Amino acid sequence: MNSLGEKISFLLFVLTVMNISSSPHPVILVLCYFIHETGHIFFAKLMGAEVSSLKASLCHLSIRYDCSRISHIRECAVVGGGILFNLIFALLFSLPVMEKNDSISFFVICNLSLAFMNLYPVSILDGGNALRCILNHFCSEEKSVKIMESYEIIWQSALPELQLLYLLKSYHHFQLKLSR
């Protein structure tokens, strides 16, 4: 993770997921990240992009890929592949035929949380990369960079407040669960 914002976002994600579930499983959280990155790798191969590396650290898992030889629309599919895989796995494990237990529920919640968190339109997340691909499709690279910079200033100033409100709401809900 490069910036303090990335580390805080990851920490808030982990705390939120652990707060929602009564039995947190760190291995399941890592598995959900692996599923997410596998989605990117699958779509990169499918769209003709070259995967150059898979990077793993204590708090982060990511891939690097080269989309310079494919269209912006195909790159958008690569960017959205991780979100799509998380949603598919959450759906599969939510089916009525699946036996429910704490681990399965936590797995579903982690996949959904990771998918929706990555929709935030900031450059460090898939939503921001998808927005950049769409802007690059319709305008020059220079203009899209300026638009993204302006947009991110607005969005990133609101993001911590939104996360804090969500955590406070989750904490309040968690307290209500404990008091019953």
Side-chain angles (χ1 to χ4, degrees):
M1 292 189 184
N2 298 333
S3 70
L4 180 61
E6 288 178 76
K7 291 176 184 171
I8 291 171
S9 292
F10 181 80
L11 178 62
L12 289 175
F13 167 72
V14 170
L15 290 174
T16 301
V17 170
M18 290 175 78
N19 190 19
I20 292 170
S21 173
S22 60
S23 59
H25 305 286
V27 173
I28 292 175
L29 185 61
V30 172
L31 177 63
C32 293
Y33 271 97
F34 183 75
I35 288 167
H36 183 86
E37 296 307 323
T38 302
H40 290 305
I41 293 169
F42 175 80
F43 275 93
K45 296 290 185 186
L46 186 66
M47 297 296 154
E50 184 179 323
V51 177
S52 57
S53 69
L54 175 63
K55 178 183 167 188
S57 66
L58 183 61
C59 299
H60 190 63
L61 184 66
S62 66
I63 65 162
R64 291 202 180 261
Y65 47 86
D66 179 17
C67 288
S68 62
R69 296 179 300 176
I70 63 174
S71 71
H72 295 297
I73 301 303
R74 286 178 174 259
E75 183 179 358
C76 212
V78 173
V79 168
I83 294 169
L84 184 61
F85 266 46
N86 285 128
L87 292 174
I88 289 170
F89 274 85
L91 178 67
L92 287 174
F93 282 85
S94 296
L95 293 175
V97 295
M98 290 296 297
E99 185 178 322
K100 302 295 187 275
N101 62 41
D102 285 348
S103 296
I104 297 294
S105 298
F106 187 73
F107 180 76
V108 169
I109 289 170
C110 281
N111 273 296
L112 288 174
S113 296
L114 190 57
F116 288 114
M117 181 192 74
N118 269 283
L119 287 173
Y120 285 141
V122 293
S123 64
I124 60 172
L125 299 173
D126 295 341
N129 289 324
L131 181 59
R132 179 189 46 78
C133 292
I134 293 167
L135 287 172
N136 286 342
H137 182 72
F138 291 106
C139 58
S140 70
E141 179 100 20
E142 293 172 7
K143 191 170 185 176
S144 69
V145 167
K146 288 181 182 180
I147 292 170
M148 282 296 293
E149 286 173 351
S150 300
Y151 184 76
E152 282 193 9
I153 289 170
I154 295 166
W155 184 256
Q156 286 183 349
S157 64
L159 185 60
E161 288 81 11
L162 291 172
Q163 289 175 327
L164 182 60
L165 286 172
Y166 182 73
L167 278 176
L168 290 174
K169 181 182 171 197
S170 297
Y171 179 71
H172 177 69
H173 176 72
F174 184 69
Q175 283 183 321
L176 290 176
K177 271 173 66 174
L178 288 177
S179 65
R180 288 183 187 166

